[in-house]
């Protein structure tokens, strides 16, 4: 039975509607982890460090997809809530076309400037060459990568989250199979891993164009549209928090890499890479829930159904709280086996990774509230508050902590800084949610 945005949502219905988005985000993260597994175990420690060193730069360029996906989805959902389906189609089409064009421009920029940027960040010698080789192959697929992230939000808004999951699974399986073939069988090394990832992004970004480009069973379809600067500005403003989150996280990751090279050399960068792979999988559950629930929140806010909006917030906070505790317990339990899978071939690197894992896993207690809180305000159309939460969480608190804490606790201070930043952001998020109750009637 199809669940509509206009339905009443109890815990069960809410989880059923958001589950495809949760699985979709987790699966996307897992195939990134598989990529790292093959590079680390079949290509080597330095190439693995190179991938994790250049990845933040690549994520910055692809972040426009998050901006139009989340900001645009909220605007489309609110428009559907008012009953104007034709305008919703026009907005949907506009956001897809503009983000695809921006992806082409950003890909060209990245290919031209990746070497000097990698060198500026501190990559040298063989590691610099590997950063450039890997990055240029990935950048060829950047327009598709941008669309892939955008459609992850749009499928939920179109009331077809299961189809979005199917596309993500297809892309993930493509990456896993090609990783095994290109890296483990053909021994194409880092270029093979990059090619596998790029081709999987093409699958994830291009298949939805064929679905939405023709008559379909969803509530959205790609059509002829017209330029609407106001709508673009509103989507960009509303999605600025997600753009800020991804850019900030990438910038902070670069800073972490600089600090890790200083305190632990290439081993520190490799250990951080393992932690970030696992971190992406765990946070994907929070992100997936937030992406899946945002259209529902936006619809009921647009329809002025404030009782349902209040109910959605209460249920969401309960679900996020349960997820948070479960993830901390799971992370502590899996610290050793995960470290063994990625870097078990190097005893000192294994010890460094396991120790870092057990410290930074406490960040999961706070991260869920921060991610959902930012998404909640985006869904309500308040991009400013959403962006402020993201800015403080992913940039201000993280930068301050990673610069100060290592002075007292060395390498452990770097792992502690992640926990400290998330806890401070949780306090800010709570204050905003309390302070905005009267305005949004939740």
């Amino acid at each position: 039975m199809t669940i509509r945005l206009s339905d009443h949502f109890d815990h069960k219905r809410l989880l059923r509607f958001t589950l495809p988005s949760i699985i979709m985000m987790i699966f996307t993260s897992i195939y990134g982890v598989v990529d790292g597994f093959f590079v680390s175990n079949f290509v080597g420690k330095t190439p693995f460090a190179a991938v994790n060193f250049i990845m933040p730069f690549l994520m910055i360029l692809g972040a426009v997809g998050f901006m139009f996906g989340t900001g645009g989805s909220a605007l489309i959902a609110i428009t559907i809530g008012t009953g104007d389906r034709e305008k919703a189609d026009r907005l949907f089409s506009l956001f897809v076309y503009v983000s695809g064009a921006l992806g082409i421009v950003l890909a060209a920029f990245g290919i031209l400037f990746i070497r000097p940027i990698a060198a500026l960040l501190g990559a040298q010698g063989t590691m610099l060459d590997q950063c450039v080789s890997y990055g240029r192959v990935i950048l060829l697929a950047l327009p598709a990568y941008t669309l892939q992230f955008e459609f992850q939000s749009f499928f939920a808004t179109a009331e077809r989250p299961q189809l979005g999951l199917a596309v993500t699974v297809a892309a993930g399986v493509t990456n896993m199979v090609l990783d095994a073939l290109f890296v483990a069988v053909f021994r194409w090394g880092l270029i093979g891993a990059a090619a596998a990832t790029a081709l999987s992004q093409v699958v994830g970004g291009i298949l939805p164009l064929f679905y939405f480009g023709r008559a379909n069973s969803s509530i959205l379809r790609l059509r002829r549209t017209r330029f609407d600067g106001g709508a673009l500005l509103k989507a960009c403003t509303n999605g600025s928090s997600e753009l800020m989150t991804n850019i900030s996280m990438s910038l902070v990751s670069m800073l972490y890499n600089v600090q890790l090279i200083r305190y632990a050399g290439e081993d520190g960068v490799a250990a951080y890479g393992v932690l970030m792979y696992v971190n992406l999988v765990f946070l994907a559950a929070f992100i997936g829930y937030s992406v899946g629930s945002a259209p529902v929140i936006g619809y009921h806010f647009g329809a002025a159904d404030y009782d349902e909006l209040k109910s959605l917030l209460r249920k969401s906070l309960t679900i996020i709280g349960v997820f948070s505790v479960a993830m901390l317990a799971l992370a502590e339990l899996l610290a050793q086996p995960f470290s063994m899978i990625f870097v078990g071939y190097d005893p000192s690197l294994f010890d460094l990774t396991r120790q870092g894992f057990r410290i930074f896993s406490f960040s999961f207690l706070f991260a869920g509230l921060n991610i959902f809180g930012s998404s909640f305000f985006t869904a309500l159309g308040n991009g400013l508050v959403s962006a402020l939460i993201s800015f403080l969480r992913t940039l201000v608190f993280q930068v301050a902590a990673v610069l100060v804490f290592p002075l007292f606790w060395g390498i452990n201070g770097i792992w502690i800084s992640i926990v400290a930043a998330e806890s401070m952001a949780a306090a800010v998020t709570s204050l905003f949610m309390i302070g905005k109750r009267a305005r949004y009637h939740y």
Side-chain angles (χ1 to χ4, degrees), residues 150-211:
E150 186 172 39
F151 281 123
Q152 286 174 343
S153 295
F154 286 158
F155 271 118
T157 308
E159 296 180 341
R160 290 296 179 271
Q162 294 87 353
L163 187 56
L165 173 60
V167 171
T168 301
V169 169
V173 170
T174 299
N175 193 33
M176 293 175 188
V177 171
L178 293 182
D179 260 329
L181 187 65
F182 293 170
V183 181
V185 178
F186 294 164
R187 298 287 179 171
W188 289 352
L190 205 56
I191 296 300
T197 299
L199 289 171
S200 73
Q201 291 168 355
V202 170
V203 171
I206 302 304
L207 281 183
L209 291 176
F210 290 101
Y211 174 76

Side-chain angles (χ1 to χ4, degrees), residues 201-270:
Q201 291 168 355
V202 170
V203 171
I206 302 304
L207 281 183
L209 291 176
F210 290 101
Y211 174 76
F212 286 112
R214 59 181 178 80
N216 61 73
S217 59
S218 80
I219 59 175
L220 293 175
R221 184 181 175 185
L222 287 171
R223 302 179 183 275
R224 292 173 63 89
T225 188
R226 60 176 181 267
F227 184 82
D228 187 338
L232 285 172
L233 180 61
K234 178 65 175 175
C236 292
T237 302
N238 203 32
S240 61
S241 61
E242 280 66 30
L243 178 68
M244 176 62 66
T245 295
N246 285 276
I247 291 178
S248 298
M249 286 175 64
S250 297
L251 291 173
V252 169
S253 292
M254 295 176 184
L255 178 58
Y256 270 77
N257 284 329
V258 170
Q259 288 286 76
L260 286 161
I261 285 180
R262 177 182 177 187
Y263 284 92
E266 283 186 11
D267 277 5
V269 176

Side-chain angles (χ1 to χ4, degrees), residues 284-298:
F286 295 131
I287 297 170
Y289 180 83
S290 299
V291 167
S293 62
V296 181
I297 293 167

Side-chain angles (χ1 to χ4, degrees), residues 63-111:
V64 66
F66 280 109
M67 178 180 69
F68 279 111
T70 54
S73 286
L75 192 57
I76 293 166
I78 291 172
T79 303
I80 295 171
T82 64
D84 194 340
R85 296 289 183 88
E86 183 179 344
K87 182 180 179 182
D89 271 353
R90 290 202 310 270
L91 292 174
F92 169 64
S93 302
L94 176 66
F95 299 148
V96 170
Y97 301 152
V98 170
S99 59
L102 282 174
I104 295 172
V105 173
L106 291 170
F109 169 83
I111 290 170

Side-chain angles (χ1 to χ4, degrees), residues 278-303:
V278 178
N279 188 51
L280 283 174
V281 174
F282 280 71
L283 294 189
F286 295 131
I287 297 170
Y289 180 83
S290 299
V291 167
S293 62
V296 181
I297 293 167
Y299 176 91
H300 287 283
F301 176 67

Side-chain angles (χ1 to χ4, degrees), residues 359-392:
I359 295 173
F360 103 98
S361 60
F362 282 89
S363 65
F364 298 135
L365 285 177
F366 311 102
L369 175 63
N370 300 328
I371 292 169
F372 174 75
S374 177
S375 175
F376 180 72
F377 284 108
T378 296
L380 296 177
N382 193 331
L384 179 60
V385 170
S386 181
L388 187 56
I389 291 172
S390 296
F391 178 71
L392 292 172

